[in-house]
Amino acid sequence: MQFFYSGITSGSIFALVALGFNIIYNTTGIINFAQGEFVMIGGMLIYTLLSIYGLPFLIAAPLALMAALILGAIFERVFIKSVRSPNEIKLITITIAASIILRGLGMVIWGRNSLSVDAYVPYKILELPAGTLTSNSLLVIIVSLITAFSLSLFFKRSSLGKAFRACYDDKIAAGICGVDVSKIRMLAFAIAALLGVIAGIVTTPITYVTYTDGIMTGLKGFAAAILGGLGSFWGGVAGGLLLGIFEGFFASVFPSGYKDAFAFLVILAVLFLRPKGLFGKKKAERL
Amino acid sequence: MKKLLGVVLILVLAVPLYAEIRLGALFAVTGPASFLGLPEKQTLEMLVEEINKEGGIAGEKVKLFLYDTKGLDTEARKKFIRLVKKDKVDAVIGPTRSGSTLAIKELAERYKTPLLSCAASKRIVQPLNKYVFKSPQSDTHAVGKIYNFLRKKGKSKVAIITAQNGFGDSGRTELLELAEEYGMKIVADEKFRDTDKDMTSQLTKISETNPDAIICWGVGPAPALVAKNARQLGLESMLIMSHGVASKKFIELAGEAAEGIILPAGRLLVADRLDKDSKYRSVLLKYKEAYEKRYDSSVSTFGGHAYDAFMMFKYGIEKGGKEADKMISAIENRGPFIGTAGEFNITATDHNGLDKSAFVMLKIHNGDWELIN
């Protein structure tokens, strides 16, 4: 059972990252490979606000989230919008370049050490049947679920959310219907950055943060998004959790040295066998 | 007249080129091993500055050519060739990582340039390469020290969990190889990656084998996660780490989970707590105080490796001169001397010169190091 609990914890993080991938994919059709870097920056921001400026968590967290929205918007304006004759391959390549730039900036600003912050909730070990879970892990799980739930509500119910989905289905048609496609795009990046920063904030007390963290986080989140089906919200969540749990069990059965390889096996297997993912849906759909 | 002027001009230009000692250095200043490479770089820069202020070695100033390997083996090779061919250095200190050092070991021989490595793997000096020395203790010594300690405590069931990098692999090999000799039984053999964020799967597997002690071999934040996860799972086995975590940063990261962890480490960390008459005390304190004053951060054993390498180089130049063969034979014939890593006894057949006594066993207690026997 311990493998299951551990899996859910890391799975919730993957899920948050996968959601970030999905939002951008849903509105622009591209994969943002800098998503992992947003998580790293989230951890760094909360470290700066809490440990360097000594702010209480209740002020630091909203500040970090606001910074995330701004960062995401700037990211879109600087890296994505300014591209002439954009196509998907170009834009995806640009997100990879941007991730390298962000990583470099992270190193220059915050240095090369692993940084840690104190836990937000008192450290307790919860005894569960055949295993344990820490209070911090529980926090991660709860925050991910709440975030996924509110996002799904936002996209299903609010009119702005509908505009997001319209943009993915047909940009031109959406534009004709009075949707400001460019603004939606910027918002999508802002929300994706927000999700990254949320993930960064909740995981930093457990796993620390280093400037290179974005790579692995991004790849695992991507694997989760692929597993669940690109573009599907609950698919992203399920993909994240499944990947986390599989990984835990994988390490328990096979030599633990190959644990990471599993995420990449998942990407390959899904792309070969079921390209739309476990919970993916066809693109055409009535809104 | 013009000809004469030309000759004089060439001489004037040539003199500064030859009246200086050219020292190359390769450190992993950025990249995942940067917490090792940075103190090494800072130490070396500090030493070169100091020595030039005092008038250099044997009347010649030292000019430092320092490059960042980013922890990459290919980069180390490229930069080593550059140091030798373009910068025409007399010797090279570094690289930081074992893998990088092994990648350029044969280059040192090909270009006949002494290489004073700051990396730990014993394969750097075994098999022996005339041009290659190393200043850190070998993993063999650390493993021996740990197994000795366990044997004294009457424990023999050992689980190991090692990092998947040069340091972890080398530690794992030694742990497995020496187990029998010390009467240890390895009951679990798990691995983790530097980038892993959760080790509970591996530790759960380990806890099923119910070992007396868990030995974790790694550097950076991952061992701190091992400590945290072990605490979370309530493992009761003794937790032992390698000298790879011998820095204050580790205690900071692991927090309360660091409490009670046992590790072998060089004496540098407990320099101010050594006996007053300890032969190591003055060397260690001198380096520690100079470094901490200059960089305002606490000293780590890794910077000490650069210190020791520089001391070997300095002696080699003083007694042998800049020619590679003479420099090497001077270092080989020096006899015992004290460095930050321990008492060196370099000979023509042993280019490391340290033994098990270079390590002491430490316990982390109240967020600080404590000497144990």
Side-chain angles (χ1 to χ4, degrees), chain B residues 42 45-47 49 289-296:
Chain B
Q42 291 178 335
E45 282 172 345
M46 177 178 89
L47 289 172
E49 211 170 279
E289 277 158 12
Y291 184 91
E292 290 183 347
K293 199 176 135 210
R294 165 88 189 257
Y295 295 109
D296 196 25

Side-chain angles (χ1 to χ4, degrees), chain B residues 74-267:
Chain B
T74 47
E75 199 67 20
R77 276 183 79 92
K78 267 193 264 174
K79 290 288 151 63
F80 183 80
I81 293 173
R82 187 192 160 104
L83 280 172
V84 173
K85 294 210 142 167
K86 186 162 173 293
D87 302 328
K88 304 211 179 309
V89 296
D90 302 310
V92 176
I93 290 181
T96 305
R97 305 185 78 156
S98 295
S100 308
T101 307
L102 293 170
I104 61 172
K105 196 175 162 183
E106 47 96 19
L107 289 181
E109 190 167 22
R110 189 190 305 167
Y111 294 112
K112 304 211 181 317
T113 305
L115 179 71
L116 302 140
S117 173
C118 298
S121 171
K122 81 170 180 193
R123 283 189 293 147
I124 293 167
V125 291
Q126 272 178 19
L128 187 81
N129 179 324
K130 188 184 158 196
Y131 294 91
V132 183
F133 295 83
K134 82 175 174 96
S135 59
Q137 306 93 337
S138 293
D139 297 336
T140 328
H141 305 146
V143 171
K145 198 84 193 174
I146 291 174
Y147 281 168
N148 250 345
F149 171 81
L150 287 174
R151 194 159 58 176
K152 257 196 282 175
K153 297 260 165 200
K155 316 235 175 211
S156 64
K157 255 175 93 181
V158 176
I160 64 173
I161 173 163
T162 54
Q164 286 177 291
N165 54 29
F167 182 74
D169 285 339
S170 150
R172 178 172 173 271
T173 316
E174 298 299 327
L175 284 164
L176 294 174
E177 260 175 26
L178 293 178
E180 208 171 314
E181 189 184 316
Y182 288 85
M184 296 290 145
K185 195 167 164 264
I186 308 280
V187 291
D189 175 11
E190 295 293 322
K191 290 180 189 162
F192 59 86
R193 250 172 219 287
D194 291 346
T195 48
D196 277 4
K197 296 294 184 195
D198 184 280
M199 318 288 178
T200 45
S201 306
Q202 291 97 315
L203 288 169
T204 308
K205 249 170 111 178
I206 284 178
S207 81
E208 282 160 11
T209 62
N210 211 3
D212 292 333
I214 301 170
I215 303 179
C216 167
W217 215 267
V219 286
L225 286 175
V226 171
K228 270 192 169 183
N229 289 161
R231 167 77 48 118
Q232 177 202 338
L233 296 175
L235 296 187
E236 275 161 21
S237 327
M238 186 190 283
L239 186 56
I240 297 178
M241 297 258 172
S242 70
H243 49 299
V245 303
S247 71
K248 272 277 160 66
K249 191 81 209 164
F250 171 76
I251 300 183
E252 209 176 281
L253 286 178
E256 267 178 41
E259 202 61 22
I261 288 174
I262 292 165
L263 66 148
R267 291 179 175 80

Side-chain angles (χ1 to χ4, degrees), chain A residues 6 112 205 208 256 259-260, chain B residues 29 190-191 193 200 228 253:
Chain A
S6 312
R112 309 175 183 93
Y208 321 126
S256 42
K259 197 171 143 195
D260 274 346
Chain B
V29 184
E190 295 293 322
K191 290 180 189 162
R193 250 172 219 287
T200 45
K228 270 192 169 183
L253 286 178

Side-chain angles (χ1 to χ4, degrees), chain A residues 191-247:
Chain A
I191 296 178
L194 181 78
L195 287 174
V197 169
I198 291 177
I201 291 175
V202 292
T203 55
T204 303
I206 308 181
T207 62
Y208 321 126
V209 56
T210 320
Y211 74 98
T212 48
D213 273 0
I215 309 171
M216 233 350 137
T217 322
L219 281 172
K220 294 270 174 77
F222 181 57
I226 294 268
L227 178 65
L230 262 179
S232 153
F233 278 106
W234 289 107
V237 176
L241 291 176
L242 278 176
L243 186 70
I245 295 165
F246 282 159
E247 219 182 51

